[in-house]
Amino acid sequence: MTNTQVPAVRPRPATPPAVAVRPSVRDRGTRLLAALFLAPTVVGIVVFTIVPIIGSLVLSLFHWNVIDPPRFAGGANYRTTFTDSTVLVSFRNTLLFMVLAVSLQLLIALALALALNGRMPVWLRSVFRSAFFFPLVLSAASISVVMKYLFNQDFGVVNWLIGLVGVAPVPWLTSEHAAMATVILVYVWQQFGFSFLLFVGGLNNIPKEIHEAAALDGATGLRKHLGITLPLLSPTLLVASVVGIINALQVFEQPYVLTDGGPGDATRTVVMVIYERAFEQLDFGEASAVGVLLFVLIMAVTALQFRLSRRFVHYQ
Amino acid sequence: MTDSHVPRRTLLRYGAYGAGAAALAATAASWERLTGADIPGRDDGSLVVATLGSAFDPATVEALTQGFHRLHPDIPLRVNAVQAVDWSDFFAKILTQIAAGTAPDLVYVATEGVQLFAQRLGVPLDRWVRRDAAELREYFADVHPSLVESMMYEGNLYQLPMEFNAADIYLNKQVLKRAGAGFPAADWSRDDFTALLREMKRAGDAHFTPYFWTNRLWGGVMPWLFANGTNLLKESKAPGGSWLWDTFYPAADRQGRGGGFRWTTPQATADRVEEAYDYLASLVQENLCSRPEGGNGSNLVGVFSTGRVGVTPAGGFWAGGLHLAGMRAADYDVQYFPRWRTQRHQFGAAGYALLRTSKKQEAAWEFIKYAARKDTMTRLFQSNQTTPARRSMLNAARYAASGPAHWQVFYDTLDRFPDTGPIPAPPQVAEVTDVLLKYTGTALASPRAVGPALRRMQGDLEQAMEREV
């Protein structure tokens, strides 16, 4: 044995000994101030979001009709939910609504944002932006009441207008096939302004130099949009689609006012079922169980979106 | 270590921050502000009466409150007018108040909620009615026993009916004239009705709808089921109630009365039910009527008053609405619902229900009695927004300005057709209504859809009726 042997394992570089650094008074003051500013939001989230979520989870394990004390039900509410055809249909409707409404909403918003991003007088651009955003600030219930009149098969303005060109009255809200399409149309008309504003912001953030460089390399119209605009807009697209999907999965006012879920169950959504079970049928346990399932669905879809975003979203 | 050494300037600054925050907190704490106790009707010792907000206007509510105060200065009263779209929405809001621990003492409840409130929340009025029988004799003599019976549940009386509306048929006289049709006879049949719709359709343009009806428990498919001698749920009567009938009604009126209605077994697949749906589906197919989901009461007044609708089922409440819409008494009229196998009509009634949770039950009963007085009801129901439960209040003077010419039809629906009954409203009424509305829409999609839709309706109704409310 000699001392010239090379050690098999390279010694790790010595790490400096951990020293407990006590925050300075200034740091502590800053933290305290930050906590004070955050407190209202945190309290709001805890009181109005976290506690109700936990409350719903607990309530979903009980039978409760508001009047009598709650009775423990175990998983009975979930069993009922999984065998209730109305609940199952409402989940199917909601998913269908989500896919169609969000796709349409994003497509329209993107197309209009791209169109307005081109050469256009500033004042005209402002007019369009205001017009597209305006429906979003109105109450969904009020809009739906007005739309119910406009789309009335017998007395609505829409059928009157298409009647002028010889088209027969369309049962917009009373046909199983047309009702969902009408509800989606009304919803998209009201909601696309939000995605539109996001896209306008996103487009403004794309450096002009990249487009100029692509133009020098010979890229034109569609090629530039597909190769540059969309990839660079993908973070905005992700935000718009996440928010859009979460909102669409919770749709209530439009189908409730326009069709009351009908004809039959054609436009009944999950939140409508929650409302009906809780406030009409006084079955708060089952309503909570459906609410918990919707919560799980929203979480799952959002998680899936973020998972997929790793492939499709490009950050500069 | 020097970190713990706080500079004097820093200490002063944070001291100032602290003093400022303390001053702000102290100011906020001492500021006069609203609390939960300031919410009207909460814990101020008043007798709280919840009414459907849109039913009475503020001036009427004021008159009601002041009149009661003059009679009972020792009972502070607060009328809580709950804004709601319909009875179902109203009940939901009342139940939310109950869940929040702010239950009213009295709630204005319509037929739709009578049994639900009676079973879960209500106090029977029997002992007070017995005690004050002498005082109430005049009231019962003026009110049809069918209305009273509709407010009973399992032998007990839960409300004194204040108003009701039977499903009669309103006819637009301008449309009748255009079609060259005469005013129908009181005993007109379903076939007469269909023939009239066809005549109206022939004379109208493409935007004209002869028969407009809505999809709901009252005034929708139900009057047709009643006319065809059937019902959605098998109807029977609870035993009991003789304590009331024997005290207040003569032998002729007591005949067949019981302790309130029972609606039990669903019978959506019964032949007569299917027959009624088939008939309505044929009207839809023939474009003689709107699809039921297309219509609602709010847009109906407008289209009826402008001659775009010929006939529609409505109660006395519509006289006030049409008058406000500018229709003159001569522009429209009212007739009984057409006869099919029977000419049984349906109605819905309303009155004040006393809640179990009330700690002021004696005071609440005094209010119920006060509200049922003729002078009070006259003040409450001035504009023909409903049909008063007291027969004597329906007179020519009341309808002189608003019409219709055949205003007697409203009360005569009860007097001439003694089998006229309330809409089926068991304690599970909310679910029953949802099922009815859902499958009525499905059934009328096409004539072939009726059978399958009714079979599914039957299944869902059975499930609903088994559910404990």
Side-chain angles (χ1 to χ4, degrees), chain A residues 22-26 28-30 64-68 71 85-86 148-149 152-156 159-160 171 173-176 256 259-260 263-265 268 275-277 279-283, chain B residues 1 3-4 6 10 13-14 88-89 92 95-96 98-99 116 120-121 207 209 212 289-291 293-296 298-299 303 308-309 430-431 434 437-439 441-442 445 460 467-469:
Chain A
R22 214 174 149 197
S24 67
V25 171
R26 176 183 287 247
R28 270 184 278 159
T30 309
W64 189 47
N65 65 1
V66 178
I67 301 159
D68 303 314
R71 283 181 294 116
S85 63
T86 308
K148 189 170 180 166
Y149 284 100
N152 185 291
Q153 183 182 351
D154 301 302
F155 316 110
N159 272 350
W160 177 75
L173 298 168
T174 53
S175 143
E176 286 208 12
Y256 181 70
T259 59
D260 199 16
D265 280 328
R268 203 168 304 278
Y275 175 79
E276 287 164 3
R277 292 286 188 275
F279 296 102
E280 288 181 359
Q281 297 168 14
L282 301 182
D283 195 337
Chain B
M1 298 282 284
D3 279 349
S4 59
V6 182
T10 310
R13 189 166 70 239
Y14 281 107
S88 151
D89 192 28
L95 289 164
T96 311
I98 293 167
L116 172 68
R120 288 289 171 191
L121 297 156
H207 300 292
T209 303
F212 192 101
C289 68
S290 55
R291 270 190 64 85
E293 312 92 330
N296 61 45
S298 52
N299 59 14
V303 291
R308 294 172 71 186
V309 160
E431 209 165 340
D434 284 347
L437 305 195
K438 184 164 86 177
Y439 289 112
T442 313
D460 280 13
R467 204 169 64 85
E468 195 187 319
V469 180

Side-chain angles (χ1 to χ4, degrees), chain B residues 190 228 270-280 340-341:
Chain B
R190 187 203 72 163
N228 203 22
D271 290 345
R272 289 188 184 186
V273 173
E274 192 163 342
E275 200 176 14
Y277 272 91
D278 280 335
Y279 171 64
L280 289 168
W340 193 342
R341 282 192 166 86

Side-chain angles (χ1 to χ4, degrees), chain A residues 58-97:
Chain A
V58 173
L59 208 52
S60 71
L61 304 174
F62 286 83
H63 290 303
W64 189 47
N65 65 1
V66 178
I67 301 159
D68 303 314
R71 283 181 294 116
F72 186 69
N77 288 323
Y78 288 95
R79 277 195 297 278
T80 312
T81 297
F82 282 117
T83 54
D84 187 327
S85 63
T86 308
V87 175
L88 299 177
V89 167
S90 74
F91 270 96
R92 188 200 67 189
N93 288 345
T94 305
L95 286 170
L96 178 73
F97 178 88

Side-chain angles (χ1 to χ4, degrees), chain A residues 228-244:
Chain A
I228 297 167
T229 313
L230 281 184
L232 292 181
L233 201 62
S234 55
T236 315
L237 266 168
L238 175 69
V239 172
S241 65
V242 167
V243 174

Side-chain angles (χ1 to χ4, degrees), chain B residues 292-326:
Chain B
E293 312 92 330
N296 61 45
S298 52
N299 59 14
L300 185 50
V301 169
V303 291
F304 184 87
S305 60
T306 51
R308 294 172 71 186
V309 160
V311 301
T312 191
F317 63 90
W318 228 37
L322 292 180
H323 182 61
L324 285 175

Side-chain angles (χ1 to χ4, degrees), chain B residues 277-278 281-282 284-285 291 440-453:
Chain B
Y277 272 91
D278 280 335
S282 73
V284 173
Q285 287 296 306
R291 270 190 64 85
T440 297
T442 313
L444 299 177
S446 72
R448 275 177 301 181
V450 170

Side-chain angles (χ1 to χ4, degrees), chain B residues 130-142:
Chain B
R130 279 194 175 109
R131 189 190 70 189
D132 298 339
E135 207 178 331
L136 288 169
R137 212 168 284 282
E138 176 272 336
Y139 166 82
F140 284 109
D142 203 16

